[in-house]
Structure formats: structure tokens, C-alpha cells
């Protein structure tokens, strides 16, 4: 071949590289995840949930939530300036939901560099805090929440998970908050086993029975009123007065 000449194969290869989409190369970087292993508390790319002491005794739909790295390590915002690593701070995982990493490539992007966003939320995503891998997003949120004050009603574990999902732009959305994170794990999460179901509802059932036995039906009315107050607070703070729950 003469110097300076190009074969048809060279031209075709160069054209393929030029027209390769940013996400096509990234598809190969998503290595297979390990299996979920509750015995070792490993839940790769999962949301995980456990009941909260006292609070879940009165409102069993309220609990503590965390998010997991690609190797299955659990991260959860468990106290002021403290993001717990390796397990949930308030007990073993009762429910889990494995998230689909492919959603990040189909509806957003893991850019090859911090200025390489191509999704519709590109500017907002970069301003919010971009991430180039799943674990990178979780680490950024972890660093952010290590300077936050924990409050069950305004800045809690759901806030941390929502922050992670927004950095990931999961499902092409940057509107994750306490309410839709709670709804996601509540309606789509899977129980680990039958013991998890008992552990999650046993205390509530005991409190309910004792309350009705000693107080009567007014206790039941009060208990449900408390649940509606919880729901009303989070719904109002999330969608009507967002400054209340900024975290």
C-alpha cells in the first residue's frame, strides 16, 4: 500500500467511530451485577427498606430506606453528618427493589467526562451534580449529606436516596423526592422473606390490639388520624411548600 493512501476498511472504521453514540461505548462498561444475597446484606443497585423503631409501630408504611452500590454495599443517611455504610442502621433489610441501570443509558447518560451530558436535562444535571458512574453518584451524595442535619420530618433517609437518583437522572427524571421514593419502594419493592413481613407488621399489630383493648375504637381513629397527618405533612412539604423539605 502506498504511503498516505487509505483502504476502504480504514475509512469505514473511522466513520463508525465518528458516528458512535456516547452511550454505545458505555453499554460495555456496565459489568454484570452479582446476585442479591440477603444473608450477606448485598443488594447490587437496589433500594432497600426496613421499619423504623416506634414510628413504624404507629404507621407501618413509614420506614428507613437506603441505596446500594454496584457491589451491593448499602448506604443510608442515618444521622446528622453520618451516612452509614454496609448495612441499614435500623435493622436488616425487609424489602428491596433492584433498579435498572440500563435506564440511565437509554433516558440519560453517563458522560465520558463531566461536560459531556447529552440528555434533555444536560444543563440542570450538570449544575445539580453530574456523575460518570453509578457509584460516583452515590459517593457524591454521600459527601453532600455528611454535612447535613438529620430530621425525620424534613431531611431523612428518603432525601438521601432522592438525591442519589437525581444525580443519576434515573428514568430520565430529576424530580425524585421523599414521596415518590417512598412510593417506589412501597409499591414495587419485594419482601425478602416471610420473616420480614412479620417483623414489619408485628409491632404495629400489637400496638393496635392493645390500644383497642384498653382505649377502644377512639384509639383506632387517633391512630389513623396520625397516619393521615404524616402523609399530609410530606405531601404538602414536597409539592406545596418545597422550602420546608429542602435538604
Amino acid at each position: 500500500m502506498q504511503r498516505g493512501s487509505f483502504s476502504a476498511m480504514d475509512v469505514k472504521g473511522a466513520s463508525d467511530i465518528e458516528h458512535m453514540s456516547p452511550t454505545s461505548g458505555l453499554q460495555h462498561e456496565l459489568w454484570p451485577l452479582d446476585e442479591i444475597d440477603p444473608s450477606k446484606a448485598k443488594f447490587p443497585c437496589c433500594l432497600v427498606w426496613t421499619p423504623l423503631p416506634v414510628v413504624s409501630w404507629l404507621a407501618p408504611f413509614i420506614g428507613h430506606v437506603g441505596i446500594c452500590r454496584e457491589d451491593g454495599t448499602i448506604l443510608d443517611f442515618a444521622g446528622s453528618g453520618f451516612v452509614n455504610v454496609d448495612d441499614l442502621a435500623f435493622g436488616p433489610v425487609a424489602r428491596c427493589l433492584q433498579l435498572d441501570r440500563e435506564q440511565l443509558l437509554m433516558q440519560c447518560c453517563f458522560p465520558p467526562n463531566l461536560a459531556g451530558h447529552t440528555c434533555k436535562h444536560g444543563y440542570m444535571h450538570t449544575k445539580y451534580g453530574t456523575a460518570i458512574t453509578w457509584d460516583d453518584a452515590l459517593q457524591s451524595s454521600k459527601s453532600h449529606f455528611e454535612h447535613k442535619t438529620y430530621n425525620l420530618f424534613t431531611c431523612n433517609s428518603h432525601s438521601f436516596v432522592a438525591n442519589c437518583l437525581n444525580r443519576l437522572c434515573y428514568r430520565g427524571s430529576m424530580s425524585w423526592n421523599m414521596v415518590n421514593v417512598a412510593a417506589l419502594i412501597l409499591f414495587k419493592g419485594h419482601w425478602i422473606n416471610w420473616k420480614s413481613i412479620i417483623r414489619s407488621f408485628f409491632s404495629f399489630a400489637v400496638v393496635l390490639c392493645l390500644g383497642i383493648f384498653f382505649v377502644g375504637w377512639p384509639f383506632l381513629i387517633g391512630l389513623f388520624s396520625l397516619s393521615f397527618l404524616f402523609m399530609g405533612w410530606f405531601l404538602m412539604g414536597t409539592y406545596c411548600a418545597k422550602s420546608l423539605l429542602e435538604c
Side-chain angles (χ1 to χ4, degrees):
M1 182 181 296
Q2 296 181 354
R3 182 180 299 177
S5 64
F6 297 93
S7 67
M9 185 176 295
D10 293 334
V11 174
K12 183 178 184 300
S15 177
D16 290 343
I17 293 173
E18 181 180 354
H19 292 90
M20 185 181 293
S21 68
T23 59
S24 61
L26 290 171
Q27 293 281 358
H28 302 290
E29 296 182 11
L30 297 182
W31 59 82
L33 298 176
D34 292 334
E35 294 293 326
I36 293 174
D37 188 352
S39 64
K40 296 181 180 179
K42 295 298 181 183
F43 301 86
C45 293
C46 286
L47 298 186
V48 290
W49 181 94
T50 194
L52 273 172
V54 182
V55 177
S56 297
W57 302 353
L58 304 175
F61 58 88
I62 296 179
H64 182 74
V65 68
I67 190 169
C68 305
R69 294 172 178 160
E70 290 177 301
D71 66 358
T73 302
I74 300 172
L75 302 179
D76 62 305
F77 183 46
S80 296
F82 176 61
V83 177
N84 189 49
V85 180
D86 280 342
D87 54 11
L88 285 174
F90 296 99
V93 174
R95 294 169 70 93
C96 72
L97 173 65
Q98 190 163 50
L99 303 179
D100 183 6
R101 292 180 302 167
E102 298 296 329
Q103 292 282 341
L104 308 178
L105 300 180
M106 291 187 295
Q107 301 189 37
C108 185
C109 53
F110 276 150
N113 56 69
L114 296 181
H117 272 288
T118 59
C119 64
K120 65 179 181 180
H121 297 293
Y123 174 75
M124 186 190 306
H125 198 177
T126 303
K127 183 179 179 181
Y128 189 92
T130 189
I132 57 175
T133 66
W134 179 281
D135 288 352
D136 181 46
L138 270 57
Q139 181 59 38
S140 296
S141 292
K142 179 178 180 292
S143 299
H144 178 71
F145 273 77
E146 284 174 344
H147 303 282
K148 293 292 183 179
T149 300
Y150 183 93
N151 186 305
L152 176 65
F153 298 101
T154 59
C155 187
N156 55 38
S157 61
H158 292 72
S159 308
F160 171 69
V161 171
N163 188 278
C164 292
L165 295 181
N166 283 328
R167 289 181 192 274
L168 290 165
C169 202
Y170 184 67
R171 289 186 176 176
S173 172
M174 292 194 66
S175 300
W176 292 99
N177 52 54
M178 289 188 195
V179 174
N180 52 26
V181 166
L184 184 63
I185 189 68
L186 180 64
F187 294 113
K188 293 192 175 183
H190 305 286
W191 294 105
I192 299 300
N193 50 42
W194 63 271
K195 294 180 181 179
S196 299
I197 301 175
I198 294 176
R199 182 165 57 87
S200 299
F201 291 100
F202 179 75
S203 298
F204 171 74
V206 170
V207 170
L208 183 63
C209 292
L210 290 176
I212 293 176
F213 180 79
F214 287 106
V215 180
W217 293 109
F219 176 82
L220 187 62
I221 296 173
L223 190 62
F224 280 109
S225 297
L226 180 63
S227 296
F228 281 119
L229 283 174
F230 274 131
M231 293 175 61
W233 166 260
F234 289 117
L235 287 171
M236 182 186 71
T238 299
Y239 297 108
C240 300
K242 296 183 179 181
S243 60
L244 290 175
L245 303 185
E246 285 185 354
C247 183

